[in-house]
């Protein structure tokens, strides 16, 4: 697929078909993350690819705690849109039926490079994985909610003890339906 087409057509997917993503496709997606640019070539990431039903059940158990703690934030932000609250809570608990996810950790001390450099580099890796997934017909959704409600330690202890701070989860799976194109709001820019 054309790179610009992938960039423009990629969407966050929140409902997945009950079809496993082949290991070789998961490896390709993760390798794309490993090739992301990173400040000072630090490559400060550690990925855990969760793909077995048992381990996905563990991820969903943690996400159930996340949903409970995140609900007050949703209530405040979307009080006029209860359907958004319901849909988001449902997604957090079920992960949309995703058969796999990547848990992403900051595996290097910040040191003089600073936390911003590490998080920016990891964000580039996550975006690379999203684009590589979309290129293979695999949907994804980047989830940062666990850190907003102090649940990162649950993912650290349960999946990657000793491999740094939890940053985000990335669900992976084949979309249940074709995502509808949408127009972007905001994001203005100036060329000078």
């Amino acid at each position: 697929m054309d790179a610009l087409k992938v960039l423009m057509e990629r969407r966050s997917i929140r409902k997945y078909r009950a079809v496993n993503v082949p290991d070789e496709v998961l490896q390709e997606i993760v390798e794309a993350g490993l090739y992301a640019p990173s400040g000072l070539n630090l490559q400060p990431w550690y990925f855990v690819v969760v793909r077995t039903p048992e381990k996905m059940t563990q991820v969903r158990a943690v996400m159930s705690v996340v949903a409970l703690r995140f609900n007050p934030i949703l209530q405040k932000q979307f009080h006029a849109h209860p359907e958004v609250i319901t849909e988001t809570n449902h997604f957090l608990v079920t992960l949309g039926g995703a058969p796999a996810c990547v848990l992403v950790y900051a595996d290097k001390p910040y040191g003089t490079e600073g936390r911003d450099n590490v998080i920016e580099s990891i964000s580039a890796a996550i975006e690379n994985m999203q684009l590589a997934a979309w290129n293979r017909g695999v949907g994804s959704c980047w989830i940062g909610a666990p850190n907003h409600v102090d649940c990162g330690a649950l993912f650290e202890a349960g999946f990657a003890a000793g491999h740094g701070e939890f940053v985000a989860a990335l669900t992976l799976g084949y979309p249940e339906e074709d995502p509808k194109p949408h127009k972007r709001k905001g994001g203005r820019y100036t060329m000078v």
Side-chain angles (χ1 to χ4, degrees):
M1 193 181 272
D2 176 78
L4 192 55
K5 183 176 171 129
V6 171
L7 285 166
M8 299 297 196
E9 292 183 359
R10 188 212 61 80
R11 298 288 178 264
S12 293
I13 303 299
R14 293 179 180 85
K15 290 182 184 176
Y16 301 93
R17 295 190 333 230
V19 176
N20 287 332
V21 179
D23 285 350
E24 59 272 10
V25 175
L26 290 172
Q27 287 175 326
E28 183 179 308
I29 291 166
V30 172
E31 285 179 17
L34 296 174
Y35 277 84
S38 65
L40 302 173
N41 198 28
L42 208 67
Q43 301 175 30
W45 42 69
Y46 182 78
F47 306 135
V48 175
V49 182
V50 182
R51 60 180 182 47
T52 66
E54 299 79 24
K55 291 296 184 181
M56 284 301 294
T57 297
Q58 281 183 257
V59 171
R60 287 184 183 94
V62 173
M63 290 304 294
S64 291
V65 175
V66 171
L68 284 172
R69 293 184 183 178
F70 199 64
N71 192 53
I73 295 168
L74 292 172
Q75 295 288 339
K76 183 177 180 184
Q77 188 167 351
F78 297 105
H79 60 88
H81 302 282
E83 71 283 357
V84 172
I85 297 167
T86 301
E87 289 172 14
T88 302
N89 279 324
H90 181 73
F91 175 70
L92 289 174
V93 171
T94 66
L95 297 178
C101 74
V102 179
L103 304 176
V104 182
Y105 300 83
D107 193 30
K108 300 276 171 112
Y110 304 139
T112 56
E113 294 80 23
R115 186 173 197 280
D116 288 348
N117 180 20
V118 168
I119 297 302
E120 289 164 1
S121 298
I122 291 169
S123 296
I126 294 170
E127 179 70 5
N128 268 21
M129 287 189 280
Q130 287 191 294
L131 295 172
W134 195 255
N135 186 56
R136 292 298 301 261
V138 175
S140 65
C141 188
W142 182 338
I143 305 170
N147 284 332
H148 292 286
V149 292
D150 298 320
C151 287
L154 297 174
F155 281 116
E156 291 160 18
F159 293 91
H163 286 286
E165 173 190 343
F166 175 80
V167 176
L170 182 67
T171 56
L172 294 169
Y174 295 103
E176 187 175 282
E177 53 193 41
D178 286 337
K180 297 179 177 101
H182 58 81
K183 293 186 179 190
R184 296 285 177 186
K185 301 177 216 171
R188 300 182 305 250
Y189 65 92
T190 300
M191 295 177 72
V192 294

